[in-house]
Amino acid sequence: MITLVVNGTARQIDADPSTPLLYVLRDQLQLNGAKFGCGLGQCGACTVLADGQAILSCVTPISVLQGRQITTVEGLGTVENPGPMQRAFIDAQAAQCGYCIPGMMMRAQALLQDNSRPTDAQIRAALEPNLCRCGTHMRILRAVHRAAALMQRADASTTDGGAR
Ligand code: FES
Ligand code: FES
């Protein structure tokens, strides 16, 4: 039995330690946001966060994730109350088929945690491991800039609120 902390909740997982995280997320925890694209670490569709860093869950065994904070796209918000990254991708209409989008959002989330105001070049470089077959790259770029702006606005209002 392995304990994984997923979206803030400890989950007991009964699986071989070599099982890729993606299979556990989708098959045991019914968290279907992360997608199976290639299964070989080559497309980014399965990207999630471990302690804030983007990882490819299709090639990451659960044995190395014990005690680490795993965040999936479901952890960024809900349909009723989308988080800033999700809101921005909706506003920018960044999805065509949508298959790559959860992975894009998670890698962008990791970027904005490190760099709250990335340039176009920095976003392109950070998202390079994630492929989009539909070619919505320009909208994805706009979405990440918008997410950065939404997060800064949220931070500013929190700071303002704290000052009052
Ligand atoms: S499914 Fe993991 S990188 Fe393609
Ligand atoms: S929106 Fe279809 S693969 Fe990116």
Side-chain angles (χ1 to χ4, degrees):
M1 203 64 93
I2 288 184
T3 304
L4 295 181
V5 182
V6 183
N7 299 329
T9 302
R11 311 292 295 260
Q12 299 297 319
I13 307 299
D14 185 8
D16 188 279
S18 65
T19 307
L21 174 63
L22 180 63
Y23 300 164
V24 170
L25 293 175
R26 296 182 58 86
D27 299 340
Q28 294 196 27
L29 301 181
Q30 280 70 56
L31 292 169
N32 295 313
K35 298 289 184 278
F36 184 100
C38 63
L40 298 168
Q42 295 177 352
C43 76
C46 64
T47 305
V48 300
L49 305 185
D51 294 337
Q53 301 297 309
I55 62 166
L56 299 171
S57 64
C58 71
V59 290
T60 305
I62 56 173
S63 59
V64 303
L65 295 167
Q66 182 128 261
R68 298 177 67 188
Q69 295 285 336
I70 298 161
T71 309
T72 69
V73 72
E74 290 89 348
L76 299 186
T78 62
V79 172
E80 297 75 24
N81 189 19
M85 184 63 69
Q86 296 163 323
R87 179 80 264 159
F89 270 71
I90 295 166
D91 291 349
Q93 290 289 288
Q96 189 164 319
C97 79
Y99 205 80
C100 71
I101 297 297
M104 291 284 186
M105 285 195 280
M106 299 317 290
R107 196 170 292 278
Q109 184 78 13
L111 169 65
L112 295 188
Q113 282 167 12
D114 288 343
N115 178 358
S116 60
R117 301 191 68 169
T119 62
D120 270 6
Q122 288 169 330
I123 296 171
R124 286 171 192 267
L127 296 188
E128 200 269 333
N130 289 50
L131 307 182
C132 173
R133 293 175 58 162
C134 297
T136 70
H137 302 87
M138 295 312 292
R139 290 184 182 197
I140 290 169
L141 203 55
R142 280 201 289 276
V144 179
H145 281 300
R146 180 164 178 76
L150 291 176
M151 287 178 191
Q152 278 167 21
R153 217 173 292 163
D155 284 351
S157 65
T158 306
T159 308
D160 287 352
R164 280 182 201 126

